[in-house]
Amino acid sequence: MKVYDFVVKDTQGQEVSLSDYKGKVLLIVNTATRCGLTPQYEELQQLYAQYAEQGLEILDFPCNQFREQAPESSSEIAQVCQMKFGTKFKIFDKIDVNGENAAPLYVYLKSEKTEDKGNHVFKDLLLKLASIGEKREGSDIKWNFTKFLVNRNGEVVARFAPSVKPSEIEQDIRALL
C-alpha cells in the first residue's frame, strides 16, 4: 500500500485520487487556522513557492480535533489561508486524524511512521500541556501541524513533530527532489 492508493475530498467535497500526485514529493500536514502554530503556513507557502516546479506538493488537511482550533468550514479555511498567508498549495476537506473517525489516509500515515522526529523539548512540553485531558494513543497525532514527508514513490519517509518548522525540514525535502 502507498499514499497513492487513497482518495480524499477537496474543499468542495469532490473526490481527489492521490494517485494524481504520483512522482511528486509530498508534504502532508494537518492544520488549523486558530492555533499558535498557524504562522507555519507562511513557511509552508515559502517551501511550496521555492520547490513546486521541482516536484514538491503540499497537501493540507485541516483538522478541528485539537482544542477546536479549526472551526470554520473547509472552504472558509481555504479562503482564510489564501488571503492571510497567500497559500497556493492544495487545501483539502477538514478531517479527523485520530480516533474512530480518523481519515483512512491518516490511519495509514500513522502506521507507516509512528514517532515524530524533532527534538524541541520545550515546545513539545508546551504541546503536551496544551493537550492535557485529551486522549492520545501510541502513534496518534499529537497536535496541529504534524508533517509527513513522502518520496516520489509514494512511501512515507519521515514524520515531523508539530514544533518542527517547515524551514527545518527543507534539506530533507531537497534530498528527495
Side-chain angles (χ1 to χ4, degrees), residues 10 39 46-47 52 81 86 160:
D10 65 16
Q46 288 169 359
L47 285 175
C81 292
F160 297 93

Side-chain angles (χ1 to χ4, degrees), residues 91-163:
I91 298 176
F92 291 89
D93 197 22
K94 191 166 25 174
I95 61 167
D96 282 355
V97 296
N98 293 331
E100 62 185 46
N101 296 319
L105 171 63
Y106 267 80
V107 172
Y108 168 74
L109 293 170
K110 294 184 302 183
S111 73
E112 290 296 297
K113 293 293 175 193
T114 59
E115 296 287 322
D116 292 344
K117 283 174 76 172
N119 189 16
H120 297 86
V121 177
F122 179 70
K123 289 179 184 175
D124 291 338
L125 177 62
L126 290 176
L127 289 175
K128 253 185 201 155
L129 291 173
S131 64
I132 286 176
E134 295 187 18
K135 189 176 180 207
R136 303 273 181 273
E137 296 178 10
S139 66
D140 276 357
I141 303 297
K142 310 294 184 283
W143 201 254
N144 305 308
F145 292 89
T146 297
K147 300 153 204 74
F148 289 90
L149 187 57
V150 178
N151 68 19
R152 291 183 186 269
N153 297 320
E155 300 159 336
V156 183
V157 296
R159 171 180 170 166
F160 297 93
S163 58

